[in-house]
Amino acid sequence: GIMLPNHAPLQVAEQFGTLASLFPGRIDLGLGRAPGTDQPTAKALRRYFDSADAFPQDVTELLGYFQPATPGQLVQAVPGAGIDVPVWLLGSSLFSARLSAALGLPFAFASLRIRFMSSRLNSFCGAATSTQQPWQRSWQLLMMEMNRKGGK
Protein backbone atom coordinates (compact mmCIF):
# COMPACT_ATOMS: atom_id res chain seq x y z
CA GLY A 1 0.00 0.00 0.00
CA ILE A 2 0.95 3.61 -0.60
CA MET A 3 0.36 6.38 1.89
CA LEU A 4 -0.84 8.85 -0.73
CA PRO A 5 -0.17 12.03 1.31
CA ASN A 6 3.55 11.25 0.92
CA HIS A 7 3.43 11.05 -2.89
CA ALA A 8 2.17 13.03 -5.85
CA PRO A 9 -0.72 11.22 -7.60
CA LEU A 10 1.05 11.45 -10.98
CA GLN A 11 4.16 9.82 -9.54
CA VAL A 12 2.14 6.93 -8.09
CA ALA A 13 0.23 6.45 -11.37
CA GLU A 14 3.46 6.24 -13.35
CA GLN A 15 5.13 3.87 -10.88
CA PHE A 16 2.15 1.52 -10.74
CA GLY A 17 1.59 1.88 -14.48
CA THR A 18 5.17 0.67 -14.93
CA LEU A 19 4.65 -2.28 -12.58
CA ALA A 20 1.36 -3.22 -14.25
CA SER A 21 3.05 -3.05 -17.66
CA LEU A 22 5.82 -5.37 -16.50
CA PHE A 23 3.51 -7.77 -14.64
CA PRO A 24 0.03 -7.62 -16.25
CA GLY A 25 -2.78 -8.80 -14.00
CA ARG A 26 -0.52 -9.12 -10.95
CA ILE A 27 -0.49 -5.57 -9.58
CA ASP A 28 -3.06 -3.73 -7.52
CA LEU A 29 -2.79 -0.50 -5.57
CA GLY A 30 -3.89 0.14 -2.00
CA LEU A 31 -4.10 3.80 -0.97
CA GLY A 32 -3.99 5.07 2.61
CA ARG A 33 -4.39 8.62 3.84
CA ALA A 34 -2.21 8.48 6.95
CA PRO A 35 1.11 10.29 6.65
CA GLY A 36 2.81 7.27 8.21
CA THR A 37 5.63 9.36 9.63
CA ASP A 38 6.62 12.31 11.80
CA GLN A 39 6.77 15.99 10.76
CA PRO A 40 10.52 16.15 10.00
CA THR A 41 10.31 13.11 7.71
CA ALA A 42 7.16 14.44 6.03
CA LYS A 43 8.96 17.72 5.41
CA ALA A 44 11.96 15.84 3.98
CA LEU A 45 9.52 14.13 1.58
CA ARG A 46 8.29 17.63 0.66
CA ARG A 47 4.83 16.71 1.94
CA TYR A 48 2.98 18.16 4.89
CA PHE A 49 0.57 16.79 7.46
CA ASP A 50 -2.34 18.74 6.01
CA SER A 51 -1.89 16.87 2.73
CA ALA A 52 -4.06 14.09 4.23
CA ASP A 53 -6.92 16.62 4.02
CA ALA A 54 -6.57 16.53 0.22
CA PHE A 55 -6.85 12.71 0.13
CA PRO A 56 -10.24 12.55 -1.66
CA GLN A 57 -9.02 14.96 -4.36
CA ASP A 58 -5.69 13.11 -4.68
CA VAL A 59 -7.48 9.76 -5.08
CA THR A 60 -9.74 11.20 -7.77
CA GLU A 61 -6.73 12.73 -9.54
CA LEU A 62 -4.84 9.43 -9.39
CA LEU A 63 -7.82 7.47 -10.76
CA GLY A 64 -7.98 9.96 -13.62
CA TYR A 65 -4.39 9.19 -14.61
CA PHE A 66 -5.32 5.53 -15.11
CA GLN A 67 -8.07 6.48 -17.60
CA PRO A 68 -7.20 6.41 -21.30
CA ALA A 69 -5.52 9.63 -22.40
CA THR A 70 -7.70 12.07 -24.31
CA PRO A 71 -6.65 14.44 -27.11
CA GLY A 72 -5.38 17.70 -25.66
CA GLN A 73 -4.89 16.26 -22.17
CA LEU A 74 -2.14 18.38 -20.62
CA VAL A 75 -0.79 15.86 -18.10
CA GLN A 76 -0.59 12.11 -18.70
CA ALA A 77 0.84 9.23 -16.70
CA VAL A 78 3.38 7.44 -18.90
CA PRO A 79 3.03 4.57 -18.49
CA GLY A 80 -0.26 4.53 -16.64
CA ALA A 81 -2.87 6.04 -18.93
CA GLY A 82 -5.31 3.33 -20.00
CA ILE A 83 -3.67 0.64 -17.86
CA ASP A 84 -5.92 -1.45 -15.62
CA VAL A 85 -4.60 -1.13 -12.08
CA PRO A 86 -7.21 -2.17 -9.50
CA VAL A 87 -7.29 0.48 -6.75
CA TRP A 88 -8.33 -0.16 -3.14
CA LEU A 89 -8.64 2.25 -0.27
CA LEU A 90 -6.98 1.27 3.00
CA GLY A 91 -8.07 2.52 6.37
CA SER A 92 -8.73 2.10 10.05
CA SER A 93 -11.63 4.54 10.24
CA LEU A 94 -14.92 5.14 8.52
CA PHE A 95 -13.52 8.10 6.56
CA SER A 96 -11.88 5.93 3.90
CA ALA A 97 -14.71 3.41 4.07
CA ARG A 98 -17.20 6.14 3.15
CA LEU A 99 -14.90 7.50 0.45
CA SER A 100 -14.48 4.03 -1.05
CA ALA A 101 -18.26 3.66 -1.15
CA ALA A 102 -18.68 7.06 -2.79
CA LEU A 103 -16.06 6.24 -5.44
CA GLY A 104 -17.18 2.62 -5.91
CA LEU A 105 -13.79 1.26 -4.81
CA PRO A 106 -13.02 -1.76 -2.64
CA PHE A 107 -11.94 -1.07 0.94
CA ALA A 108 -9.39 -2.96 3.04
CA PHE A 109 -9.77 -2.39 6.75
CA ALA A 110 -6.68 -2.22 9.00
CA SER A 111 -6.91 -5.35 11.11
CA LEU A 112 -5.19 -3.94 14.20
CA ARG A 113 -8.37 -2.15 15.19
CA ILE A 114 -10.92 -4.55 13.74
CA ARG A 115 -12.45 -5.50 17.09
CA PHE A 116 -12.88 -1.88 18.06
CA MET A 117 -14.38 -0.93 14.72
CA SER A 118 -16.47 -4.01 13.90
CA SER A 119 -19.71 -2.48 15.20
CA ARG A 120 -19.07 0.70 13.19
CA LEU A 121 -18.40 -1.33 10.07
CA ASN A 122 -21.56 -3.31 10.70
CA SER A 123 -23.58 -0.10 10.75
CA PHE A 124 -21.74 1.23 7.70
CA CYS A 125 -22.42 -1.87 5.62
CA GLY A 126 -26.06 -1.84 6.68
CA ALA A 127 -28.73 -4.15 5.41
CA ALA A 128 -28.56 -5.53 1.88
CA THR A 129 -30.25 -3.32 -0.68
CA SER A 130 -30.77 -3.44 -4.42
CA THR A 131 -28.08 -0.76 -4.88
CA GLN A 132 -25.48 -2.56 -2.80
CA GLN A 133 -22.00 -3.04 -4.24
CA PRO A 134 -20.56 -6.60 -4.20
CA TRP A 135 -17.80 -5.55 -1.78
CA GLN A 136 -20.44 -4.35 0.71
CA ARG A 137 -21.94 -7.84 0.80
CA SER A 138 -18.45 -9.27 1.39
CA TRP A 139 -18.02 -6.92 4.34
CA GLN A 140 -21.38 -7.94 5.74
CA LEU A 141 -20.40 -11.61 5.55
CA LEU A 142 -17.06 -10.88 7.22
CA MET A 143 -18.71 -8.91 10.01
CA MET A 144 -21.30 -11.65 10.59
CA GLU A 145 -18.50 -14.21 10.85
CA MET A 146 -16.53 -12.02 13.27
CA ASN A 147 -19.59 -11.41 15.42
CA ARG A 148 -20.34 -15.14 15.46
CA LYS A 149 -16.79 -15.76 16.73
CA GLY A 150 -17.05 -13.02 19.35
CA GLY A 151 -14.98 -10.39 17.53
CA LYS A 152 -17.11 -7.48 18.77
Side-chain angles (χ1 to χ4, degrees):
I2 299 290
M3 297 299 110
L4 193 54
N6 296 332
H7 305 278
L10 176 62
Q11 178 185 30
V12 174
E14 289 182 337
Q15 290 172 346
F16 277 79
T18 299
L19 290 170
S21 296
L22 293 171
F23 306 102
R26 297 182 61 196
I27 302 298
D28 63 358
L29 171 57
L31 299 172
R33 74 178 179 118
T37 189
D38 56 18
Q39 278 188 323
T41 305
K43 189 174 180 182
L45 291 169
R46 304 292 191 260
R47 301 296 284 187
Y48 304 94
F49 279 102
D50 63 347
S51 60
D53 296 337
F55 184 68
Q57 294 83 6
D58 286 349
V59 171
T60 302
E61 180 183 346
L62 175 58
L63 293 173
Y65 289 129
F66 287 130
Q67 297 300 312
T70 58
Q73 184 175 341
L74 297 177
V75 179
Q76 298 178 22
V78 180
I83 295 179
D84 181 30
V85 177
V87 177
W88 297 66
L89 294 189
L90 313 171
S92 60
S93 72
L94 292 182
F95 180 90
S96 291
R98 287 186 182 111
L99 180 60
S100 69
L103 297 175
L105 298 173
F107 178 68
F109 193 74
S111 63
L112 294 176
R113 297 177 61 196
I114 195 79
R115 289 179 196 237
F116 170 73
M117 293 294 292
S118 65
S119 62
R120 291 185 185 177
L121 281 171
N122 271 329
S123 65
F124 170 73
C125 290
T129 67
S130 60
T131 61
Q132 188 174 46
Q133 298 289 323
W135 63 266
Q136 286 174 303
R137 182 66 184 147
S138 298
W139 269 108
Q140 284 178 325
L141 295 173
L142 173 65
M143 291 297 103
M144 287 188 298
E145 180 64 15
M146 285 184 55
N147 290 337
R148 188 181 65 76
K149 291 183 176 180
K152 252 188 172 176

